[in-house]
Amino acid sequence: MKLAVVGGGSTYTPELIDGFARLRDTLPIEELVLVDPAAERLELVGGLARRIFAKQGHPGKITTTANLEAGVAGADAVLLQLRIGGQAARNQDETWPLECGCVGQETTGAGGLAKALRTVPVVLDIAERVRRAAPDAWIIDFTNPVGIVTRALLQAGHKAVGLCNVAIGFQRKFAAFLDVAPDQVHLDHVGLNHLTWERGVRLGGPGGEDLLPKLLAEHGDAIAEDIRLPRVILDRLGVVPSYYLRYFYAHDEVVREQKIKPSRASEVAAMEKQLLAMYGDPTLDEKPELLSKRGGAFYSEAAVALASSLLRNTGDIQVVNTYNNGTLPFLPDDAVIEVPATVDGTGTTPLPVAPLDPLYAGLIANVTAYEDLALQAAVHGGRDRVFKALLSHPLIGQYEYAEALTDRLVAHNREHLAWA
């Protein structure tokens, strides 16, 4: 089995490598190729990756290359983990929206749109090249904004599935609270990427006993602290929102915080410098503890589980980003939703979802409409399309804000926008 990781020079790649090494019985990799144009970073990350495999006794071969076609040729699966513009672009996404009193975040709001505009054209180009070099390969997208990027890939006819670590993070935390194995916890997870709610926590499978009321009663304070929302919100709703819902439920509070704190991008950039220095140490043969602060917890486990289901035709249930196809009847079939699905060699089949309260369905429908407009702007370009996408977003919604944010978005991203 051959896998390729596009964006393999990321400082987070050792987390993925560690997962591949630990879970080699689940996903037996014979060849792993790290693909990245950043030669210096790739050399450091590749060296550590080989040492991790060697220490854990993994027989697989790890190679590195800047040549995409050579790297993905004959691959069974290609994992995309890109950040177009790096942490510098992310820092802009997290700061210039604040000038208009809007949240600065790299996956939602104006910053999220900027990232989509930078990312979608690059991903589509990569996917076309993958299709020519490895026509049977699955594309597993971990590149944010995952929902929009996955929709772009699917609409272009690619064999693609989107992946996020929010669900597996909740699964692991709830399993720890319940003192059970994580694979015994099934989530009634529903929504869009970075816009999801846990409506049930079932033991043993989709039809198991719902233990969410017990979790909220006994661990509500800890859960509320984790997602940074008041405990009373969880009790009143009876669900657990993802921590990304804080940008919607506490928007103004978040903006006030962001205006006085360093951006997350600046923190991560400093962390990456330290990590790369560590990776250059030829005696380091395991992922350093600092990496756990980088973000993306349980990313490797989620990636291994999804790749295994696709390539080994297991029929496991995974939380994925995939076409709606009638699952949420108030959305178009080609909307990309994030729900539990059966995953096998043919792809993904979402499990049935119980009807949604209007409180959730309304926001999902609104953000889906924004994502449709965002994708049109990313694929076709144009200031008017950018303006309409921003105007439609529930965190913006006023024409004066949309106009000002459009100007700022184009000014800060001109080098990445062919049409600008």
Side-chain angles (χ1 to χ4, degrees), residues 1-8 16 20 27 29 31-36 65 67-82 122-143 149-150 153 158-163 299 302-304 306-308 310-311:
M1 185 180 296
K2 175 180 177 180
L3 266 67
V5 180
V6 180
L16 183 63
F20 286 157
L27 189 67
I29 299 172
E31 181 179 2
L32 177 65
V33 184
L34 306 181
V35 183
D36 204 297
T65 182
N67 186 307
L68 177 72
E69 283 76 9
V72 305
D76 297 287
V78 177
L79 178 63
L80 303 183
Q81 51 172 33
L82 309 175
V122 176
V123 167
L124 289 177
D125 175 68
I126 289 171
E128 286 298 331
R129 294 159 67 187
V130 169
R131 179 150 49 190
R132 292 192 293 269
D136 295 325
W138 281 100
I139 294 177
I140 298 175
D141 176 59
F142 202 75
T143 297
V149 172
T150 302
L153 288 166
H158 297 289
K159 291 174 58 178
V161 183
L163 179 65
Y299 158 39
V304 167
L306 178 55
S308 177
L310 290 169
L311 300 180

Side-chain angles (χ1 to χ4, degrees), residues 223-359:
I223 296 170
E225 182 179 1
D226 185 52
I227 63 174
R228 300 191 64 196
L229 285 171
R231 165 74 183 269
V232 66
I233 298 298
L234 277 65
D235 291 336
R236 291 179 70 179
L237 298 180
V239 304
V240 178
S242 92
Y243 43 85
Y244 287 95
L245 264 298
R246 186 167 185 260
Y247 298 116
F248 294 81
Y249 293 166
H251 176 274
D252 292 355
E253 179 183 346
V254 172
V255 169
R256 288 192 295 270
E257 292 173 0
Q258 290 182 333
K259 285 183 175 181
I260 61 174
K261 291 175 58 179
S263 69
R264 174 62 177 163
S266 64
E267 296 174 349
V268 172
M271 206 178 300
E272 287 192 335
K273 289 183 180 180
Q274 298 179 59
L275 287 169
L276 289 171
M278 293 177 180
Y279 296 171
D281 179 356
T283 66
L284 183 67
D285 56 7
E286 60 186 12
K287 62 177 184 178
E289 177 60 30
L290 178 62
L291 189 55
S292 65
K293 300 178 182 179
R294 170 71 175 75
F298 307 113
Y299 158 39
S300 59
E301 284 89 344
V304 167
L306 178 55
S308 177
S309 295
L310 290 169
L311 300 180
R312 306 181 78 185
N313 194 34
T314 61
D316 294 340
I317 295 174
Q318 313 282 341
V319 173
V320 297
N321 283 260
T322 189
Y323 268 154
N324 177 46
N325 282 338
T327 306
L328 301 182
F330 56 89
L331 296 183
D333 286 347
D334 67 348
V336 165
I337 60 174
E338 186 172 292
V339 292
T342 302
V343 185
D344 57 25
T346 66
T348 60
T349 304
L351 301 184
V353 172
L356 278 168
D357 187 289
L359 177 64

